[in-house]
Amino acid sequence: MNLSRDAGRSGLVPAMAVPSGNRLLASLPESDLRHLAALFDTVKVEVGEVLYEPGQPIAHIYFPGDCLISLLAVAEGRMTLEVGSVGREGVLGASVALGHDLAQVRAVVQRSGTASRIGRADFCAEFAQLDSLQRLLYRYTDTLLAQAIQIAVCSRFHVLEARLARSLLITRDRLQSEKFHLTHEFLAHTLGVRRVGVTKAASALQQQKLITYSRGNIEILDSAGLEAVSCRCYELVKDTGAIGMANVFV
């Protein structure tokens, strides 16, 4: 996977500091959000850009607007498995507020776009002061952990075709689009398998007329059918599922 190592070096975007699309920020009280906005930069991140590496210090916390970030567990420096993703519903790096100064996963941009970025020191200071931010991020972190555990179980016990269906459905939900771009190579890294396995599983879904897949361009043709092929893990982790992100915003 050809990944950029220039994390966070994309140019600052001369736009509103807090993307209105981020659900976490949008759910804060207006006065708290205005206070935080002064501490944010709006940055553009590109596909393949590595924002975090395991064991490396976390310098910035990211609140995605229209981008999507894949969270990859790394074994022996080369084998990877996606254990979650962060889009407009979430935040990347909130664990620094709990005392975790080093990244635990590789965070790779899956879809380019913009995000609000705040420095670690500023974020920790504001987290200590704002009760609304504390309550929100505690719920979010708990939900993200529950989803990571479920995805790990899924990766061990469920067949690849069902896992691919689950991954495509979650990506659709995060991006709110039936069409998106994911290469065989990227899917192989996220699912922890060889590219030939992704090819076979994607071909099976195409033959059932559930998706079209050409040169990394994916379109979901039959959402209900794809959900039927997917394992029950999707029902649990989707936005309105038992451990879905909708629970964060209650």
Side-chain angles (χ1 to χ4, degrees), residues 28-40:
L28 290 172
E30 186 176 350
S31 58
D32 290 347
L33 182 55
R34 282 200 306 267
H35 173 71
L36 285 172
L39 303 174
F40 280 104

Side-chain angles (χ1 to χ4, degrees), residues 52 56-58 60-63 71 91-105 120 123-124 127 137-138 140-142 144-145:
Y52 294 171
Q56 296 299 312
I58 296 174
H60 297 95
I61 290 78
Y62 296 84
F63 290 81
L71 308 179
V91 56
L92 175 67
S95 60
V96 297
L98 306 177
H100 299 292
D101 294 334
L102 304 181
Q104 298 169 308
V105 296
R120 179 178 64 189
F123 177 78
C124 290
F127 182 84
L137 293 186
Y138 283 142
Y140 174 75
T141 301
D142 185 61
L144 194 64
L145 176 59

Side-chain angles (χ1 to χ4, degrees), residues 24 27-32 91 94 97-98 123 126-143 245 247-250:
L24 278 180
S27 63
L28 290 172
E30 186 176 350
S31 58
D32 290 347
V91 56
L98 306 177
F123 177 78
E126 296 305 320
F127 182 84
Q129 296 295 323
L130 296 177
D131 290 342
S132 62
L133 187 61
Q134 291 175 20
R135 290 192 298 270
L136 194 62
L137 293 186
Y138 283 142
R139 291 199 302 269
Y140 174 75
T141 301
D142 185 61
T143 298
M245 285 298 168
N247 297 309
V248 175
F249 304 101
V250 294

Side-chain angles (χ1 to χ4, degrees), residues 9-184:
R9 293 182 183 176
S10 301
L12 299 186
V13 178
M16 180 176 63
V18 181
S20 59
N22 186 274
R23 292 175 63 191
L24 278 180
L25 293 179
S27 63
L28 290 172
E30 186 176 350
S31 58
D32 290 347
L33 182 55
R34 282 200 306 267
H35 173 71
L36 285 172
L39 303 174
F40 280 104
D41 292 322
T42 300
V43 295
K44 184 172 184 180
V45 294
E46 302 293 345
V47 171
E49 188 173 344
V50 179
L51 302 179
Y52 294 171
E53 276 286 8
Q56 296 299 312
I58 296 174
H60 297 95
I61 290 78
Y62 296 84
F63 290 81
D66 55 356
C67 63
L68 182 64
I69 300 167
S70 177
L71 308 179
L72 302 175
V74 182
E76 300 177 5
R78 58 185 180 84
M79 296 182 290
T80 60
L81 177 68
E82 186 177 62
V83 292
S85 60
V86 181
R88 61 186 291 271
E89 80 298 327
V91 56
L92 175 67
S95 60
V96 297
L98 306 177
H100 299 292
D101 294 334
L102 304 181
Q104 298 169 308
V105 296
R106 177 178 294 161
V108 183
V109 178
Q110 185 173 331
R111 180 186 182 180
S112 62
T114 57
S116 285
R117 185 181 70 175
I118 183 173
R120 179 178 64 189
D122 284 337
F123 177 78
C124 290
E126 296 305 320
F127 182 84
Q129 296 295 323
L130 296 177
D131 290 342
S132 62
L133 187 61
Q134 291 175 20
R135 290 192 298 270
L136 194 62
L137 293 186
Y138 283 142
R139 291 199 302 269
Y140 174 75
T141 301
D142 185 61
T143 298
L144 194 64
L145 176 59
Q147 291 192 357
I149 292 170
Q150 189 63 42
I151 291 172
V153 170
C154 178
S155 300
R156 172 63 179 86
F157 294 109
H158 295 154
V159 298
L160 182 54
E161 185 178 325
R163 290 168 53 203
L164 176 59
R166 183 259 302 161
S167 181
L168 295 179
L169 288 166
I170 292 175
T171 299
R172 176 204 62 181
D173 294 347
R174 293 286 189 266
L175 296 178
Q176 296 188 312
S177 174
E178 305 287 340
K179 298 179 181 181
F180 42 88
H181 185 84
L182 289 175
T183 65
H184 278 69

Side-chain angles (χ1 to χ4, degrees), residues 161-216:
E161 185 178 325
R163 290 168 53 203
L164 176 59
R166 183 259 302 161
S167 181
L168 295 179
L169 288 166
I170 292 175
T171 299
R172 176 204 62 181
D173 294 347
R174 293 286 189 266
L175 296 178
Q176 296 188 312
S177 174
E178 305 287 340
K179 298 179 181 181
F180 42 88
H181 185 84
L182 289 175
T183 65
H184 278 69
E185 183 178 15
F186 196 95
L187 283 169
H189 279 275
T190 61
L191 295 170
V193 298
R194 297 171 59 191
R195 287 181 61 180
V196 64
V198 173
T199 299
K200 290 180 179 179
S203 295
L205 296 180
Q206 282 201 107
Q207 290 171 6
Q208 297 173 67
K209 301 187 185 306
L210 302 177
I211 67 169
T212 59
Y213 190 11
S214 176
R215 299 181 182 274

